């Protein structure tokens, strides 16, 4: 049981004692029920008597968790943001294809349960009017997206495919010709976001205009990229072509200026996992990536120049795995040009590849999860040294295991252990927000799609029945276990991160215990 020790009642003081026992006795249940009927107990005589009863003939352990008054850091009020990805239904990993119906291009935005889920993630009810959950639209295929139907003279038949086409000649397994994002689809997403009171984060194509070095036809870059440098090589001096992005941003800014129903654009990300040695489809230098980043920042500042800085879209990067030297040089390069990085993001998959059978084991291995702490503290030091107080530090993408997660692990109850450990550890280290991969899609989604078997839906299917064949059943979005963790973080846990001391007294297995402290929403 848990007993509040003597200490101030306001946030940031006092302690909690957790009492655990070994082998059970027959009267344990009755003893606990009797204690509960009398009340939680205090540090006085009743609690001491109960402890003595529970000790007889058993191993026991005690752990003291002390909350200090010191504020370690601050996190965003809606600490957990959520991602939607571009992967089409043809995206398969290790024999499973878990992306059907989840792509940005094809997700049915009227899916029952989808709006409710985003509204629940939007923070405490008292704060909903101010801001909701942040919805990030990004991922590896963002750098293959072309923005179309941007002018009245547009035919809607621009020279790009309507969907992504598989191609093993690229590192990410899809043809670099990419796919179109028609303006009509953008407006559907924007109005959907406005309905559920979310703020949009949109990733801009950072590879457009750059020239790829071709590999020999026989090379399978998707599976053998490590042995073939040409798979991720781009011509030196090959720079970003911003023309298409500028046309898109102009229309987005214009729509926002004339229509109150447009959602707030929280920020624009520049490219996905293109930074240095740990880049996926490319390995850009800090300078080459930084030139495009600066150009995007100037474009946004010009287009949203009449908007106060607090609500002007942020420019976010590099959206890659953290590399100390690369990130330091990038921040310094931006600073040398008289600008700042609004938000520095890291992508994290602390459990490794989803194919590994060790993923569930790692979720329950604190020593494995603790490796994150040193890396997070290093990232915070880099931001403090080169970004200054105005640069925020975020997790831009994290889903536990990369390549779509792992079935029956990152979508199951066991996933709560790594997820909450990561959330708390990163908050303590100085990260201000955590974007979960994904809201929907893959085996790491907070939601999953299932057939809607509600009676009204059954009646609809019967009414529209033609002959002996029923129409395809409509799908419903339902929560996976990690959804509830995300809701708790956004609706209950406040912005203040507290210092915690965890003292194990005669605690078998105490090395597996971890403790963190936060104020509640509204408590300061």
């Amino acid at each position: 049981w848990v007993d509040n020790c003597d200490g101030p009642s306001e946030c940031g003081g006092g302690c909690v004692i957790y009492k655990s026992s070994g082998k059970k006795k027959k009267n344990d249940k009755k003893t606990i029920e009797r204690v509960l009927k009398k009340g939680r107990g205090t540090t006085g005589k009743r609690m001491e008597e109960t402890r003595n009863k529970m000790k007889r003939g058993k191993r026991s352990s005690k752990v003291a968790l002390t909350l200090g008054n010191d504020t370690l850091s601050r996190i965003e009020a809606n600490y957990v943001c959520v991602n939607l990805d571009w992967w089409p239904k043809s995206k398969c990993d290790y024999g499973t294809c878990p992306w059907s119906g989840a792509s940005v291009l094809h997700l049915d935005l009227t899916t029952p349960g989808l709006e409710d889920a985003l509204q629940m993630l939007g923070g405490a009810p008292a704060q909903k009017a101010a801001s909701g959950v942040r919805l990030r639209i990004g991922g590896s295929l963002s750098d293959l997206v072309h923005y179309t139907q941007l002018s009245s003279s547009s035919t809607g038949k621009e020279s790009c495919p309507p969907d992504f086409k598989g191609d093993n000649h690229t590192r990410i397994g899809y043809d670099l010709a990419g796919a179109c994002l028609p303006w009509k689809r953008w407006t559907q997403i924007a109005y959907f976001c406005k309905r559920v009171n979310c703020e949009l984060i949109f990733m801009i194509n950072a590879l457009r205009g750059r020239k790829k070095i071709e590999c020999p036809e026989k090379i399978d870059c998707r599976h053998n990229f490590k042995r073939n440098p040409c798979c991720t090589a781009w011509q030196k001096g090959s720079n970003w072509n911003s023309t298409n992005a500028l046309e898109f941003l102009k229309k987005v800014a214009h729509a926002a200026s004339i229509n109150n129903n447009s959602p707030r654009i929280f920020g624009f990300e520049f490219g996905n996992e293109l930074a240095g040695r740990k880049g996926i489809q490319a390995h850009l230098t800090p300078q080459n990536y930084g030139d495009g980043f600066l150009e995007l920042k100037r474009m946004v500042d010009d287009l949203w120049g009449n908007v106060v800085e607090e609500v002007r879209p942020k420019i976010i990067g590099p959206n890659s795995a953290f590399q100390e030297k690369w990130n330091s040089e990038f921040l310094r390069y931006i600073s040398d040009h008289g600008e700042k990085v609004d938000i520095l993001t890291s992508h994290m998959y602390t459990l490794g590849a989803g194919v590994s059978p060790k993923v569930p084991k790692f979720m329950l291995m604190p020593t494995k999860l603790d490796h994150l702490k040193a890396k997070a503290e290093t990232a915070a030091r880099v931001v403090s040294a080169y970004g200054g107080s105005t640069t925020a530090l975020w997790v831009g993408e994290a889903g536990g295991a990369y390549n779509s997660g792992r079935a029956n692990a990152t979508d199951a109850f066991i996933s709560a252990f790594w997820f909450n450990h990561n959330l708390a550890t990163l908050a303590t280290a100085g990260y201000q927000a955590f974007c979960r991969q994904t809201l929907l899609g893959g085996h790491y989604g907070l939601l999953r799609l299932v057939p809607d078997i509600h009676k009204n839906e059954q009646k609809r299917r019967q009414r529209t029945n033609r002959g002996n064949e029923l129409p395809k059943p409509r799908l419903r979005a339902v929560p996976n276990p990690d959804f509830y963790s995300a809701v708790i973080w956004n609706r209950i846990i406040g912005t203040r991160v507290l210092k915690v001391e965890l003292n194990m007294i005669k605690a078998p297995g105490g090395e597996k215990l971890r403790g963190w402290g936060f104020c509640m929403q509204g408590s300061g």
Side-chain angles (χ1 to χ4, degrees), residues 195-399:
R195 287 199 306 273
V196 299
N197 194 32
C198 71
E199 297 179 311
L200 273 175
I201 299 172
F202 187 79
M203 182 173 282
I204 296 295
N205 180 343
L207 286 181
R208 189 176 178 93
R210 303 183 194 271
K211 303 298 183 183
K212 177 77 174 62
I213 293 176
E214 296 296 329
C215 286
E217 183 69 24
K218 64 179 181 179
I219 290 180
D220 182 347
C221 285
R222 185 183 180 193
H223 301 100
N224 298 306
F225 61 91
K226 290 183 179 180
R227 288 181 286 179
N228 297 284
C230 63
C231 292
T232 54
W234 298 72
Q235 294 179 13
K236 292 183 178 180
S238 174
N239 297 319
W240 181 49
N241 184 333
S242 63
T243 303
N244 186 232
L246 179 58
E247 292 176 356
F248 173 71
L249 292 175
K250 281 181 178 178
K251 191 150 187 176
V252 171
H254 177 68
S257 68
I258 63 172
N259 191 342
N260 291 330
N261 288 324
S262 293
R264 182 193 169 194
I265 307 297
F266 179 82
F268 292 104
E269 294 185 315
F270 186 61
N272 187 82
E273 298 179 353
L274 306 175
R277 181 177 58 86
K278 292 188 177 180
I280 302 298
Q281 187 55 50
H283 306 290
L284 304 182
T285 65
Q287 297 74 24
N288 190 277
Y289 177 87
D291 288 337
F293 187 92
L294 288 167
E295 186 173 357
L296 176 62
K297 186 167 181 60
R298 286 190 290 268
M299 288 159 49
V300 170
D301 286 345
D302 289 344
L303 293 170
W304 277 268
N306 61 341
V307 177
V308 294
E309 188 172 358
E310 288 75 17
V311 296
R312 189 179 304 164
K314 309 286 192 269
I315 307 301
I316 304 169
N319 318 306
S320 296
F322 179 76
Q323 302 157 85
E324 184 176 358
K325 182 179 179 182
W326 194 101
N327 280 266
S328 299
E329 291 182 8
F330 167 63
L331 287 170
R332 202 160 42 223
Y333 187 76
I334 300 300
S335 178
D336 289 346
H337 285 76
E339 292 289 355
K340 65 173 184 176
V341 177
D342 295 320
I343 300 174
L344 188 85
T345 54
S346 306
H347 288 188
M348 299 179 180
Y349 289 89
T350 54
L351 305 174
V355 69
S356 173
K358 294 182 179 180
V359 168
K361 178 182 177 181
F362 288 160
M363 290 176 173
L364 300 177
M365 191 183 294
T367 51
K368 166 73 174 178
L369 299 176
D370 285 345
H371 293 164
L372 176 67
K373 183 179 178 181
K375 296 178 182 178
E377 290 174 344
T378 300
R381 285 196 299 271
V382 167
V383 169
S384 178
Y386 302 108
S389 60
T390 57
T391 297
L393 181 61
W394 283 29
V395 177
E397 183 180 305

Side-chain angles (χ1 to χ4, degrees), residues 112-182:
L114 189 58
E115 288 191 13
D116 291 340
L118 282 168
Q119 288 171 343
M120 285 188 69
L121 289 166
Q127 296 179 334
K128 280 189 176 181
S131 65
V133 67
R134 289 172 185 138
L135 178 63
R136 170 187 177 261
I137 296 176
S140 298
L141 297 180
S142 297
D143 294 307
L144 308 182
V145 174
H146 311 277
Y147 318 117
T148 61
Q149 300 178 2
L150 301 178
S151 66
S152 57
S153 60
S154 173
T155 63
K157 297 181 179 179
E158 283 83 355
S159 57
C160 63
D163 205 350
F164 301 97
K165 181 181 178 182
D167 184 354
N168 285 347
H169 291 98
T170 67
R171 165 71 177 84
I172 56 176
Y174 282 87
D175 194 329
L176 297 182
C180 294
L181 173 64

